[in-house]
Amino acid sequence: GTEWEDQEKGQLHKFFQAHLPRRTGCFGCPMRCMNNYSIPGLGAGVVSCQHYTELSWKLRNSDLDAWWQSVVLCQQYGIDSISVSGMIAWSMELYQRGIIDEKDTDGIPMAWGDRRAILGTIEKIANREGFGDVLAGDVPTAVKAVGRGSEEYMMHVKGSPLYVLNSRNFKGRALAAAVGPRGDHIRSSPALAASKAAAEATIFDPIERETAVKAIVEHIEGITGTPLGAEPLGYEGKAALVLRGENAEAIADMLLNCKWHTTWAEMPFTAELSAELLTAGTGRPWTADYLLNRAARLRAIERVYDVREGLTRDHDTLPKRFFGEPYSGRFSQDTLDREKFERMKDEYYELRGWDRETGVPSREYLESLGLKSIADELDRLGKLPAALPLEAAVMANS
C-alpha cells in the first residue's frame, strides 16, 4: 500500500545518506551499473537492480539494515535473491492468511517485513533446516509440502519465482515473462516497452519531456508498426518488442557481452556494431543478418528442448491472480485481460515462426534454421505441429 511505500522511501533516503555507495562495474565498463557498499558491522558487497527491490519492497521490509544484511547473506551463501525473496514472500502471505503458523515455520512468525523472519529464513534455507528445507527446493516441491491451497499464492512462472516488477501493468513485460524460457526479467524482457512511461515520470522539464516522448513513440512505431506499441499499459505491438529484446539478449550472450550495452536497454550496441567488432576481432566477415539468424536458432533450440520436456502453450502464462486481482499500489489498479493476453501470445508465436496453436516450432521453420535433426526428434515424439508455410518461417528469421 501507499503508506508502506512512503515509509520505505524515507528509510531508503536515510540509508543512502548514511552509507553513500560508490559506483562500480566490470573491468573497463563505461556503464558502472553497480553500487559498492562497505558498512561497519553489516558487511561489504556489490549490488545492482533486483537487490534493491526483492529483499525490501517485495517483503514490505523498510528496515534497510536488515535489507543489507539479507543481501550480504545471499551473496555469501550463493543464493539467488529473487528466488529467496519470492519464497519468503509466499510464506509471509500464507502466514497473513492463516494458512500456516509458527508450528509450520519453526516458531518464527512470518510477518511481513519482520527482520527475524527474513534473516532467519535465509539462514534456514541455506542450511536446509526445518521450514527452510521446504523452501530450499523447487516451487512444486514447496507447494506440495505445504498443501492447503498454498499454490494459489505462489507467484511464479514455469517454476521460477517472479521478479517484483508488476507484470499486470506493463503488458510487454507480462508477455516476455510468460513466453520466455525461464520467466525472468532479463532473458526476454523488452525494456523499451516501458520507456515512454519512464520518460513521462522522470523528465520534469515539459519541453524536454515532450521531445523525448515524441522520439520514443516514433522509434517504437518504427519497430512495431503502430504508435500504440509505445503505450506500456496497452497490448498492441508488444510481441515485436519482446522478439527484438530476445534477439538482442541472445546476441549478447553468444558474444559474451553485457546486455546493458545492447538495444535491450536501448544502448547503441546494435547487431550491426556487434558484427563489425566480431569481424575486426576474428579477421572473418560477419553480418548483422547472420547474428540475428543465430539468435533465432538459439531461441528455437531452447524452445524445442522445453517442448521435449513437456512444455505446452498453457505453460506460457502468468499467475492466475494477475488476471482478476487488481494491483493495490499507487501507480496502477490494472489487471490482465485474458483474451488480449492470449492474442499477444498468438502474435509472438507468429512472429517467431512457431505454430500458433501449440507454440511449437514447425518442421519448416526448424529446417530453415538448419535444425532438421531437431525437427526429426520432435516428429518421433509426436510433438511436431502441422506445416507452416515456408515463407512465414523464412520471414521470421529475417
Side-chain angles (χ1 to χ4, degrees):
T2 57
E3 181 179 349
W4 181 86
E5 289 169 359
D6 288 337
Q7 180 182 4
E8 195 271 344
K9 184 178 179 181
Q11 292 296 326
L12 189 61
H13 179 68
K14 292 179 182 177
F15 184 85
F16 279 139
Q17 283 186 320
H19 309 291
L20 186 66
R22 294 185 293 111
R23 299 293 290 176
T24 188
C26 299
F27 178 76
C29 175
M31 293 286 289
R32 303 181 70 80
C33 68
M34 294 176 275
N35 289 331
N36 191 339
Y37 291 93
S38 182
I39 303 175
L42 298 180
V46 174
V47 297
S48 180
C49 299
Q50 72 270 11
H51 292 295
Y52 283 110
T53 56
E54 294 301 299
L55 294 160
S56 59
W57 190 90
K58 183 186 278 186
L59 304 182
R60 304 182 193 176
N61 169 30
S62 58
D63 181 343
L64 273 298
D65 285 349
W67 163 74
W68 181 246
Q69 284 181 273
S70 66
V71 170
V72 172
L73 276 178
C74 285
Q75 294 185 352
Q76 289 175 339
Y77 284 128
I79 296 176
D80 168 43
S81 63
I82 296 177
S83 297
V84 77
S85 65
M87 301 302 270
I88 294 174
W90 175 63
S91 306
M92 287 178 170
E93 181 165 10
L94 296 182
Y95 183 83
Q96 175 192 2
R97 294 178 177 274
I99 296 173
I100 62 174
D101 57 26
E102 286 91 337
K103 294 192 297 292
D104 302 292
T105 60
D106 308 321
I108 300 177
M110 295 300 293
W112 287 109
D114 185 85
R115 178 191 188 97
R116 180 188 172 199
I118 296 169
L119 297 175
T121 304
I122 292 174
E123 292 276 7
K124 285 181 171 292
I125 288 173
N127 293 289
R128 301 196 75 109
E129 296 175 355
F131 187 60
D133 189 44
V134 174
L135 303 182
D138 57 24
V139 166
T141 301
V143 166
K144 183 178 180 180
V146 174
R148 299 170 242 175
S150 60
E151 68 276 3
E152 295 294 321
Y153 306 102
M154 177 66 83
M155 297 294 99
H156 74 99
V157 174
K158 300 183 176 83
S160 295
L162 274 173
Y163 184 37
V164 73
L165 292 178
N166 187 12
S167 297
R168 292 176 179 88
N169 299 344
F170 297 111
K171 304 308 187 294
R173 189 177 296 281
L175 176 64
V179 302
R182 62 188 197 198
D184 69 359
H185 66 294
I186 292 293
R187 187 61 180 82
S188 295
S189 181
L192 183 59
S195 58
K196 178 174 179 285
E200 290 173 335
T202 59
I203 301 177
F204 298 104
D205 182 273
I207 297 177
E208 290 183 6
R209 182 168 61 245
E210 181 180 357
T211 301
V213 168
K214 181 181 178 181
I216 290 168
V217 171
E218 290 176 351
H219 180 47
I220 294 179
E221 183 177 7
I223 298 168
T224 65
T226 172
L228 297 176
E231 298 300 329
L233 303 184
Y235 296 81
E236 295 83 359
K238 300 307 183 293
L241 294 180
V242 170
L243 185 143
R244 178 176 179 269
E246 286 186 338
N247 286 344
E249 294 155 12
I251 292 173
D253 285 341
M254 289 187 290
L255 299 183
L256 304 181
N257 293 333
C258 174
K259 294 179 178 69
W260 281 104
H261 296 165
T262 72
T263 52
W264 170 79
E266 289 315 298
M267 295 299 159
F269 212 104
T270 62
E272 288 76 13
L273 180 56
S274 294
E276 289 180 20
L277 292 176
L278 193 58
T279 298
T282 64
R284 296 173 53 193
W286 302 87
T287 67
D289 286 343
Y290 179 84
L291 294 181
L292 290 168
N293 179 273
R294 297 296 93 174
R297 178 184 169 100
L298 182 154
R299 188 70 185 92
I301 294 173
E302 287 178 332
R303 186 68 175 189
V304 171
Y305 177 90
D306 288 340
V307 168
R308 188 191 69 181
E309 299 303 308
L311 180 137
T312 68
R313 177 186 171 120
D314 291 340
H315 290 101
D316 288 342
T317 191
L318 293 168
K320 185 169 63 175
R321 298 168 75 181
F322 282 24
F323 295 92
E325 182 178 311
Y327 173 58
S328 60
R330 168 176 294 152
F331 300 109
S332 176
Q333 302 291 323
D334 206 8
T335 62
L336 282 172
D337 181 286
R338 176 74 72 175
E339 184 177 346
K340 293 179 180 178
F341 175 78
E342 293 297 327
R343 286 205 297 266
M344 282 199 303
K345 283 167 56 176
D346 290 343
E347 185 180 355
Y348 172 81
Y349 295 151
E350 290 173 356
L351 288 175
R352 270 286 175 217
W354 301 352
D355 177 60
R356 176 173 172 170
E357 298 302 318
T358 63
V360 179
S362 69
R363 174 177 290 280
E364 290 77 13
Y365 176 67
L366 292 171
E367 290 190 2
S368 76
L369 293 169
L371 299 174
K372 182 180 182 302
S373 62
I374 289 179
D376 290 342
E377 181 177 0
L378 276 186
D379 199 8
R380 286 195 300 272
L381 295 172
K383 295 185 176 184
L384 199 64
L388 177 75
L390 182 58
E391 59 269 21
V394 173
M395 184 179 298
N397 300 327
S398 62

